[in-house]
mmCIF file of all heavy atoms in Angstrom:
data_model
loop_
_atom_site.group_PDB
_atom_site.id
_atom_site.type_symbol
_atom_site.label_atom_id
_atom_site.label_comp_id
_atom_site.label_asym_id
_atom_site.label_seq_id
_atom_site.Cartn_x
_atom_site.Cartn_y
_atom_site.Cartn_z
ATOM 1 N N LEU A 764 -22.645 -12.443 -10.552
ATOM 2 C CA LEU A 764 -22.409 -13.857 -10.194
ATOM 3 C C LEU A 764 -23.201 -14.285 -9.030
ATOM 4 O O LEU A 764 -23.470 -15.488 -8.847
ATOM 5 C CB LEU A 764 -20.958 -14.019 -9.981
ATOM 6 C CG LEU A 764 -20.053 -13.642 -11.120
ATOM 7 C CD1 LEU A 764 -18.556 -13.785 -10.719
ATOM 8 C CD2 LEU A 764 -20.411 -14.490 -12.315
ATOM 9 N N PHE A 765 -23.589 -13.363 -8.091
ATOM 10 C CA PHE A 765 -24.313 -13.756 -6.866
ATOM 11 C C PHE A 765 -25.012 -12.601 -6.284
ATOM 12 O O PHE A 765 -24.714 -11.359 -6.634
ATOM 13 C CB PHE A 765 -23.448 -14.392 -5.815
ATOM 14 C CG PHE A 765 -22.097 -13.673 -5.642
ATOM 15 C CD1 PHE A 765 -22.126 -12.572 -4.779
ATOM 16 C CD2 PHE A 765 -20.931 -14.031 -6.279
ATOM 17 C CE1 PHE A 765 -20.901 -11.834 -4.524
ATOM 18 C CE2 PHE A 765 -19.813 -13.246 -6.015
ATOM 19 C CZ PHE A 765 -19.738 -12.178 -5.142
ATOM 20 N N ASP A 766 -25.916 -12.780 -5.363
ATOM 21 C CA ASP A 766 -26.608 -11.729 -4.760
ATOM 22 C C ASP A 766 -25.688 -11.060 -3.644
ATOM 23 O O ASP A 766 -24.882 -11.729 -3.060
ATOM 24 C CB ASP A 766 -27.907 -12.135 -4.083
ATOM 25 C CG ASP A 766 -28.965 -12.632 -5.026
ATOM 26 O OD1 ASP A 766 -28.989 -12.063 -6.165
ATOM 27 O OD2 ASP A 766 -29.769 -13.467 -4.672
ATOM 28 N N ILE A 767 -25.836 -9.730 -3.549
ATOM 29 C CA ILE A 767 -25.114 -9.022 -2.588
ATOM 30 C C ILE A 767 -26.107 -8.234 -1.662
ATOM 31 O O ILE A 767 -27.272 -8.061 -2.109
ATOM 32 C CB ILE A 767 -24.036 -8.024 -3.156
ATOM 33 C CG1 ILE A 767 -24.731 -7.112 -4.198
ATOM 34 C CG2 ILE A 767 -22.875 -8.851 -3.882
ATOM 35 C CD1 ILE A 767 -23.777 -6.033 -4.733
ATOM 36 N N PRO A 768 -25.648 -7.755 -0.515
ATOM 37 C CA PRO A 768 -26.622 -7.013 0.340
ATOM 38 C C PRO A 768 -27.159 -5.757 -0.454
ATOM 39 O O PRO A 768 -26.521 -5.233 -1.305
ATOM 40 C CB PRO A 768 -25.733 -6.542 1.523
ATOM 41 C CG PRO A 768 -24.636 -7.594 1.540
ATOM 42 C CD PRO A 768 -24.356 -7.964 0.063
ATOM 43 N N GLY A 769 -28.398 -5.342 -0.079
ATOM 44 C CA GLY A 769 -29.047 -4.273 -0.756
ATOM 45 C C GLY A 769 -28.319 -2.963 -0.689
ATOM 46 O O GLY A 769 -28.461 -2.062 -1.484
ATOM 47 N N THR A 770 -27.456 -2.792 0.353
ATOM 48 C CA THR A 770 -26.692 -1.509 0.446
ATOM 49 C C THR A 770 -25.427 -1.576 -0.322
ATOM 50 O O THR A 770 -24.651 -0.528 -0.417
ATOM 51 C CB THR A 770 -26.339 -1.251 1.975
ATOM 52 O OG1 THR A 770 -25.572 -2.393 2.428
ATOM 53 C CG2 THR A 770 -27.595 -1.046 2.792
ATOM 54 N N TRP A 771 -25.073 -2.645 -1.044
ATOM 55 C CA TRP A 771 -23.914 -2.729 -1.882
ATOM 56 C C TRP A 771 -24.297 -2.439 -3.277
ATOM 57 O O TRP A 771 -25.464 -2.374 -3.654
ATOM 58 C CB TRP A 771 -23.285 -4.101 -1.822
ATOM 59 C CG TRP A 771 -22.713 -4.448 -0.502
ATOM 60 C CD1 TRP A 771 -22.855 -3.844 0.731
ATOM 61 C CD2 TRP A 771 -21.727 -5.487 -0.206
ATOM 62 N NE1 TRP A 771 -22.161 -4.496 1.737
ATOM 63 C CE2 TRP A 771 -21.463 -5.480 1.215
ATOM 64 C CE3 TRP A 771 -21.159 -6.494 -0.994
ATOM 65 C CZ2 TRP A 771 -20.519 -6.416 1.758
ATOM 66 C CZ3 TRP A 771 -20.265 -7.431 -0.421
ATOM 67 C CH2 TRP A 771 -19.999 -7.288 0.959
ATOM 68 N N CYS A 772 -23.267 -2.290 -4.170
ATOM 69 C CA CYS A 772 -23.558 -2.192 -5.595
ATOM 70 C C CYS A 772 -22.414 -2.784 -6.352
ATOM 71 O O CYS A 772 -21.231 -2.780 -5.974
ATOM 72 C CB CYS A 772 -23.792 -0.685 -6.002
ATOM 73 S SG CYS A 772 -22.444 0.385 -5.782
ATOM 74 N N TRP A 773 -22.733 -3.372 -7.607
ATOM 75 C CA TRP A 773 -21.768 -3.903 -8.448
ATOM 76 C C TRP A 773 -21.113 -2.751 -9.248
ATOM 77 O O TRP A 773 -21.845 -1.931 -9.769
ATOM 78 C CB TRP A 773 -22.378 -4.884 -9.458
ATOM 79 C CG TRP A 773 -22.746 -6.232 -8.743
ATOM 80 C CD1 TRP A 773 -23.892 -6.584 -8.191
ATOM 81 C CD2 TRP A 773 -21.837 -7.336 -8.502
ATOM 82 N NE1 TRP A 773 -23.825 -7.906 -7.767
ATOM 83 C CE2 TRP A 773 -22.590 -8.354 -7.922
ATOM 84 C CE3 TRP A 773 -20.487 -7.516 -8.785
ATOM 85 C CZ2 TRP A 773 -22.005 -9.548 -7.594
ATOM 86 C CZ3 TRP A 773 -19.937 -8.762 -8.459
ATOM 87 C CH2 TRP A 773 -20.710 -9.741 -7.808
ATOM 88 N N VAL A 774 -19.829 -2.674 -9.327
ATOM 89 C CA VAL A 774 -19.056 -1.655 -10.156
ATOM 90 C C VAL A 774 -17.922 -2.398 -10.821
ATOM 91 O O VAL A 774 -17.434 -3.425 -10.332
ATOM 92 C CB VAL A 774 -18.588 -0.445 -9.359
ATOM 93 C CG1 VAL A 774 -19.826 0.290 -8.862
ATOM 94 C CG2 VAL A 774 -17.721 -0.802 -8.285
ATOM 95 N N ARG A 775 -17.385 -1.811 -11.796
ATOM 96 C CA ARG A 775 -16.140 -2.296 -12.444
ATOM 97 C C ARG A 775 -14.897 -1.721 -11.684
ATOM 98 O O ARG A 775 -14.886 -0.555 -11.241
ATOM 99 C CB ARG A 775 -16.132 -1.882 -13.930
ATOM 100 C CG ARG A 775 -17.243 -2.432 -14.645
ATOM 101 C CD ARG A 775 -17.067 -2.411 -16.139
ATOM 102 N NE ARG A 775 -18.190 -2.885 -16.882
ATOM 103 C CZ ARG A 775 -18.472 -4.131 -17.007
ATOM 104 N NH1 ARG A 775 -17.740 -5.084 -16.580
ATOM 105 N NH2 ARG A 775 -19.623 -4.494 -17.687
ATOM 106 N N LEU A 776 -13.905 -2.632 -11.481
ATOM 107 C CA LEU A 776 -12.734 -2.256 -10.837
ATOM 108 C C LEU A 776 -12.097 -0.973 -11.337
ATOM 109 O O LEU A 776 -11.683 -0.111 -10.621
ATOM 110 C CB LEU A 776 -11.723 -3.408 -10.865
ATOM 111 C CG LEU A 776 -10.409 -3.173 -10.067
ATOM 112 C CD1 LEU A 776 -10.678 -3.020 -8.627
ATOM 113 C CD2 LEU A 776 -9.502 -4.431 -10.271
ATOM 114 N N ALA A 777 -12.071 -0.784 -12.679
ATOM 115 C CA ALA A 777 -11.475 0.356 -13.337
ATOM 116 C C ALA A 777 -12.274 1.678 -12.974
ATOM 117 O O ALA A 777 -11.769 2.780 -13.238
ATOM 118 C CB ALA A 777 -11.294 0.190 -14.777
ATOM 119 N N ASP A 778 -13.421 1.494 -12.470
ATOM 120 C CA ASP A 778 -14.170 2.776 -12.031
ATOM 121 C C ASP A 778 -13.781 3.187 -10.600
ATOM 122 O O ASP A 778 -14.187 4.196 -10.172
ATOM 123 C CB ASP A 778 -15.741 2.490 -12.022
ATOM 124 C CG ASP A 778 -16.331 2.532 -13.387
ATOM 125 O OD1 ASP A 778 -15.813 3.209 -14.282
ATOM 126 O OD2 ASP A 778 -17.364 1.847 -13.620
ATOM 127 N N LEU A 779 -13.061 2.274 -10.000
ATOM 128 C CA LEU A 779 -12.610 2.632 -8.579
ATOM 129 C C LEU A 779 -11.135 2.968 -8.455
ATOM 130 O O LEU A 779 -10.785 3.796 -7.587
ATOM 131 C CB LEU A 779 -12.890 1.451 -7.661
ATOM 132 C CG LEU A 779 -14.302 0.885 -7.566
ATOM 133 C CD1 LEU A 779 -14.367 -0.370 -6.736
ATOM 134 C CD2 LEU A 779 -15.204 1.974 -7.003
#
Side-chain angles (χ1 to χ4, degrees):
L764 303 176
F765 48 82
D766 291 333
I767 56 176
T770 56
W771 291 20
C772 64
W773 285 97
V774 297
R775 299 196 183 281
L776 183 60
D778 281 333
L779 301 176

